[in-house]
Amino acid sequence: MVRGLSWVLGLTSASCALLAGCNQVLGIGDPQLDTTMAGGAGGTGGTGGVGGVTTTGGGGSGGELPPPCHPDAPICNQVESDCLALEDNSEKDVYGLRIQSLDIWKPDAFATDPEYTAVMQSLTMNLPECYLQGGGTINWIFELDTTTDVARLGASKPIENLSDGYTFVDEIVEFEPGIQFNVAPAFLSATVDDQGTIDASVAESIVMPIYLDQAASMFILLPIRKARIYDATISADRNCIGTHNAEGLILQDGCLPDFTNGPKAFLHDAKLDGYILLEEADDVIVEIFGLNRSLCVILAQDSAEYSDMGDPEHCNLLNNEIKFPGDWCSTTNSGATPSCHDAVYLGAAFAASGVKVNP
């Protein structure tokens, strides 16, 4: 029996309960994420005397002093921002951001620990001087063009030199003869109002890669339908969606995030969602670490029950339909029902920072 992405990444995890029934939506939707949880409340400044005059220190980050976990390395401060931006977008009409942190709540195969931790470690940049100690191999990027109100959403392969910038992947990936996926950015209509609210259209179909090594030879493809970015706010300087959690990180822990229980490296200020068709997921073959099974089997989290044990393994069928009951219905783009359960929901909150994105 195989349970989730933990097997894919050579990890172990606790057993996951199977879906109770297609007529129930198990936690699907838009949870009320409390973006203050990781940061906590600012403290009250202390009082002291200067030349006989009583002064009161500032609360929160300690007056004019930066929080202890605000990195002071030059690369972390080359752009004045609240999110460790590496590129200054303030004077640009076309600008890019990289997703720095995700809070995934669905699908279960990617939302639970240690699967979530593995994804976050790959997503986190490799900038230890900025308290970011990850692999930096998952690079989901977003570009806005204010002159045309057009946005690009997609992914870049890992890069060695951050000054080179990120480049959207645009290529065909073939798993079996005749089964191909076009990994390319989606073009959306998008505007930003005076309050920084991003209003973007829905991407009918997009394939987002999860790269797990620097050579981009180990990967999982996520074919997402009806992908959308919503509840998204960008800073006035166009450098940040969300903020670096300098006040919430703990100095005694090396100012490093705890992907399992918090605090997180970033506080989120945007969300994305969509769904993955089980039929399409069954065409995505995952070969990393010697595996040879479909994404559908991985999403099912139980190969003994839902795999055909073939070569490669695909989801088995029941009455000519995939046996594994998804928690989403593609026909209505809403929660699964007893008669429609052909997809799994994908939902996450995120933070993003300004980076160089190549044309």
Side-chain angles (χ1 to χ4, degrees):
M1 180 178 296
V2 177
R3 298 195 180 276
L5 189 61
S6 59
W7 173 263
V8 177
L9 299 178
L11 303 169
T12 59
S13 64
S15 298
C16 300
L18 299 180
L19 291 175
C22 298
N23 61 332
Q24 296 180 348
V25 182
L26 305 182
I28 294 299
D30 182 359
Q32 297 300 312
L33 299 177
D34 183 357
T35 58
T36 65
M37 288 177 62
T44 301
T47 58
V50 180
V53 178
T54 301
T55 61
T56 303
S61 60
E64 297 180 358
L65 296 177
C69 286
H70 179 80
D72 57 9
I75 192 173
C76 315
N77 296 282
Q78 61 186 10
V79 176
E80 185 176 349
S81 76
D82 294 325
C83 62
L84 306 182
L86 300 179
E87 184 81 1
D88 187 4
N89 294 329
S90 59
E91 301 298 327
K92 292 184 177 182
D93 293 326
V94 182
Y95 54 92
L97 301 101
R98 176 189 184 272
I99 291 181
Q100 302 283 36
S101 177
L102 283 170
D103 190 350
I104 305 169
W105 63 80
K106 285 288 180 178
D108 291 337
F110 294 91
T112 54
D113 191 69
E115 292 89 342
Y116 171 77
T117 297
V119 170
M120 281 303 303
Q121 286 175 336
S122 298
L123 179 71
T124 301
M125 278 185 166
N126 182 22
L127 284 175
E129 58 268 53
C130 302
Y131 307 130
L132 301 175
Q133 296 189 5
T137 57
I138 301 176
N139 298 290
W140 289 6
I141 52 179
F142 185 62
E143 181 190 69
L144 282 162
D145 185 338
T146 60
T147 64
T148 61
D149 291 336
V150 172
R152 288 193 294 170
L153 171 65
S156 168
K157 290 184 178 181
I159 60 176
E160 293 185 3
N161 190 340
L162 292 175
S163 63
D164 291 338
Y166 296 91
T167 302
F168 283 101
V169 177
D170 191 348
E171 64 183 21
I172 301 294
V173 176
E174 184 175 65
F175 291 105
E176 296 176 337
I179 299 179
Q180 298 179 335
F181 286 87
N182 183 20
V183 183
F187 289 83
L188 315 172
S189 61
T191 58
V192 181
D193 66 18
D194 293 340
Q195 286 71 48
T197 301
I198 300 174
D199 183 11
S201 62
V202 174
E204 291 297 320
S205 179
I206 184 173
V207 179
M208 296 293 282
I210 296 176
Y211 296 115
L212 298 173
D213 68 327
Q214 286 293 329
S217 61
M218 300 165 57
F219 59 88
I220 301 174
L221 298 186
L222 296 182
I224 306 171
R225 296 295 188 104
K226 301 291 186 181
R228 63 172 181 149
I229 292 175
Y230 66 106
D231 288 354
T233 303
I234 192 168
S235 59
D237 58 15
R238 302 177 175 180
N239 290 325
C240 301
I241 297 176
T243 60
H244 179 241
N245 190 22
E247 293 188 9
L249 295 169
I250 301 172
L251 184 63
Q252 290 81 356
D253 292 339
C255 297
L256 298 178
D258 182 339
F259 297 132
T260 304
N261 300 311
K264 309 300 184 186
F266 292 86
L267 304 180
H268 305 133
D269 203 7
K271 297 167 188 169
L272 64 86
D273 72 357
Y275 64 82
I276 301 172
L277 276 173
L278 294 178
E279 185 176 356
E280 289 185 341
D282 208 33
D283 286 335
V284 175
I285 304 302
V286 179
E287 297 179 331
I288 58 178
F289 300 110
L291 293 180
N292 192 23
R293 59 172 49 93
S294 75
L295 174 62
C296 180
V297 176
I298 292 173
L299 291 172
Q301 299 184 282
D302 191 340
S303 62
E305 178 70 17
Y306 297 115
S307 169
D308 65 1
M309 299 302 176
D311 183 21
E313 291 182 46
H314 290 276
C315 276
N316 52 17
L317 303 179
L318 179 65
N319 298 325
N320 293 320
E321 295 183 352
I322 289 176
K323 181 180 177 182
F324 168 60
D327 55 24
W328 206 250
C329 171
S330 66
T331 304
T332 61
N333 193 21
S334 60
T337 67
S339 61
C340 183
H341 42 82
D342 60 348
V344 294
Y345 179 79
L346 180 146
F350 69 90
S353 303
V355 294
K356 178 182 177 183
V357 173
N358 298 316

